[in-house]
């Protein structure tokens, strides 16, 4: 319809992106009674510069479509599970999951996300664990059928690490990229159209040692405070980790050229929901602590957060 006029292709991408933001608003409402939390998460998703690559890249529309159907599938599952258990909602969730996979394979982690949701929010007893495996089983069957069809059609060409050492070095390189990605959520000053990282070639690399030390310290901190963490914080932290697992280099090598792995920012398009929820949780905690201890004028904190948001928004426009 639009021939070679790029304006309409960009416009269509923005509409798909905003549709995802609307779904996210209603999805987060399931986890928080306060609609302001859902609003701020959806607003961050729709305007944060970390998503610029996925939205501005016309051939990358598959990322937007896959994420939209991914969010819809999970939202419909939550509606089915928490409300009237209308089987039509469940069937629509299956259809959306299939459409997500047919758009792009990045939607494949939905069954794991559903398992994490059931495990954390239902707090299953040992005798009910099988029930939750049964509930999520259709999603795993859809995923299996999708992988088989891709294999039959010759659409799957994977590159596997040749040795355990190569796999571990690839995984540590991925972890190094995660540190960069986490920084981009707060300070997105060096965004790239297609980011890649040079593979670590030795376990004695100083940067690798710093990376391992960083995640060891983070893991220790989480272990110390785990019992005090609210369930939504745990779940959305897992959301971020689960969605990034397919590109972790553990299963298959995802490279751009010899000696480099892909660490593209569009990998964060659906995973970013977890970080945005944690960012809003952090802001809420800051206001609560300030109300208790009065270490700063609340207006200063508000203006600081508004300033950060404006910086992110203007960076997206630029």
């Amino acid at each position: 319809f639009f021939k070679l006029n790029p304006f309409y292709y960009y416009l269509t991408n923005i509409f798909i992106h905003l549709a995802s933001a609307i779904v996210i608003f209603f999805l987060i409402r399931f986890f928080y009674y306060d609609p302001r939390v859902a609003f701020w998460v959806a607003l961050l998703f729709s305007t944060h510069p970390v998503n610029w690559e996925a939205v501005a890249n016309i051939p990358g529309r598959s990322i937007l479509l896959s994420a939209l159907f991914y969010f819809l599938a999970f939202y419909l599952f939550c509606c089915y599970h928490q409300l009237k258990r209308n089987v039509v909602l469940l069937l629509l969730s299956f259809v959306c999951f299939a459409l997500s996979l047919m758009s792009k394979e990045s939607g494949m982690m939905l069954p794991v996300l559903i398992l994490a949701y059931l495990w954390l929010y239902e707090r299953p007893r040992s005798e009910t664990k099988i029930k939750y495996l049964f509930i999520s089983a259709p999603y795993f069957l859809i995923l299996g059928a999708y992988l088989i069809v891709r294999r039959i059609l010759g659409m799957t060409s994977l590159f596997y690490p040749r040795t355990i050492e190569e796999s571990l070095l690839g995984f540590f390189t991925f972890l190094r990229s995660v540190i960069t990605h986490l920084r981009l959520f707060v300070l997105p000053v060096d965004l790239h159209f297609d980011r890649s990282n040079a593979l670590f070639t030795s376990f004695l690399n100083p940067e690798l040692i710093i990376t391992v030390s960083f995640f060891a310290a983070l893991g220790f901190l989480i272990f110390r405070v785990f019992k005090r963490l609210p369930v939504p914080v745990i779940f959305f932290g897992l959301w971020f980790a689960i969605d990034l697992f397919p590109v972790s280099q553990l299963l298959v090598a995802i490279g751009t050229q010899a000696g480099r792995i892909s660490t593209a920012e569009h990998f964060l398009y659906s995973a970013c929901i977890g970080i945005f929820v944690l960012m809003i949780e952090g802001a809420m905690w800051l206001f609560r602590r300030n109300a208790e201890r009065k270490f700063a004028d609340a207006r200063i904190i508000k203006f600081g957060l508004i300033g950060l948001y404006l910086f992110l928004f203007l960076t997206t426009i630029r």
Side-chain angles (χ1 to χ4, degrees):
F1 292 111
F2 308 136
K3 302 188 184 301
L4 298 180
N5 187 338
F7 171 82
Y8 296 101
Y9 296 98
Y10 286 124
L11 188 64
T12 308
N13 275 14
I14 290 173
F15 283 149
I16 297 170
H17 180 57
L18 292 179
S20 290
I22 293 169
V23 176
I24 287 164
F25 172 81
F26 288 104
L27 177 60
I28 301 301
R29 283 295 305 273
F30 271 104
F31 299 92
Y32 293 92
Y33 293 109
D34 189 344
R36 291 175 297 180
V37 177
F39 170 78
W40 284 110
V41 171
L43 185 67
L44 274 175
F45 173 80
S46 62
T47 57
H48 198 288
V50 81
N51 286 331
W52 82 274
E53 181 202 344
V55 180
N57 179 19
I58 292 172
R61 181 171 297 172
S62 58
I63 299 164
L64 303 182
L65 289 171
S66 179
L68 173 60
F69 291 123
Y70 182 90
F71 300 142
L72 273 171
F74 188 44
Y75 172 66
L76 289 167
F77 174 81
C78 290
C79 291
Y80 163 78
H81 190 258
Q82 293 192 18
L83 300 178
K84 298 180 180 180
R85 294 184 179 269
N86 187 334
V87 71
V88 174
L89 295 174
L90 189 61
L91 293 175
L92 287 174
S93 178
F94 294 158
V95 171
C96 286
F97 179 46
L99 291 172
S100 176
L101 292 172
M102 288 158 57
S103 301
K104 192 173 178 66
E105 63 277 2
S106 53
M108 67 172 59
M109 297 309 292
L110 180 64
V112 181
L113 186 68
I114 288 174
L115 272 180
Y117 163 75
L118 292 171
W119 191 275
L120 288 170
Y121 280 89
E122 297 297 323
R123 298 289 186 181
R125 301 182 300 276
S126 57
E127 63 269 20
T128 61
K129 291 176 183 176
I130 298 300
K131 182 179 77 172
Y132 297 120
L133 288 173
F134 177 77
I135 292 172
S136 59
Y139 294 93
F140 284 102
L141 291 174
I142 293 170
L143 175 60
Y146 164 77
L147 294 174
I148 290 171
V149 169
R150 280 188 66 123
R151 187 76 175 180
I152 292 173
L153 296 178
M155 296 170 61
T156 303
S157 181
L158 303 176
F159 300 92
Y160 299 98
R162 291 166 293 183
T163 63
I164 295 178
E165 179 184 359
E166 188 177 287
S167 180
L168 286 174
L169 288 170
F171 177 65
F172 289 136
T173 307
F174 159 76
L175 290 181
R176 172 63 186 87
S177 75
V178 171
I179 296 175
T180 299
H181 287 152
L182 290 174
R183 191 261 303 161
L184 289 176
F185 284 107
V186 180
L187 193 64
V189 295
D190 60 337
L191 299 165
H192 292 275
F193 178 73
D194 192 7
R195 188 187 297 273
S196 67
N197 274 22
L199 272 166
F200 289 134
T201 56
S202 168
F203 291 106
L204 299 178
N205 185 305
E207 201 169 347
L208 184 149
I209 295 172
I210 294 172
T211 298
V212 173
S213 300
F214 172 84
F215 280 99
L218 181 62
F220 177 75
L221 179 63
I222 293 173
F223 174 77
R224 287 294 301 272
V225 301
F226 187 79
K227 292 183 179 179
R228 289 179 283 165
L229 291 175
V231 171
V233 170
I234 299 172
F235 173 72
F236 285 102
L238 281 174
W239 181 318
F240 179 72
I242 288 169
D243 272 14
L244 283 184
F245 181 76
V247 296
S248 66
Q249 309 293 323
L250 284 175
L251 299 178
V252 296
I254 302 176
T256 55
Q257 55 184 303
R260 301 189 72 87
I261 67 167
S262 177
T263 57
E265 282 143 27
H266 69 253
F267 292 161
L268 300 171
Y269 189 69
S270 60
C272 68
I273 302 304
I275 297 298
F276 292 150
V277 170
L278 296 183
M279 290 172 70
I280 300 303
E281 279 274 8
M284 292 166 58
W285 176 85
L286 186 61
F287 278 108
R288 287 196 301 267
R289 293 290 287 181
N290 185 58
E292 294 169 1
R293 302 196 176 186
K294 299 292 183 182
F295 53 78
D297 190 324
R299 289 175 297 180
I300 295 175
I301 300 175
K302 287 181 180 179
F303 283 126
L305 293 174
I306 291 171
L308 174 61
Y309 175 75
L310 288 176
F311 162 69
L312 296 173
F313 182 61
L314 293 173
T315 302
T316 301
I317 293 174
R318 184 179 64 84

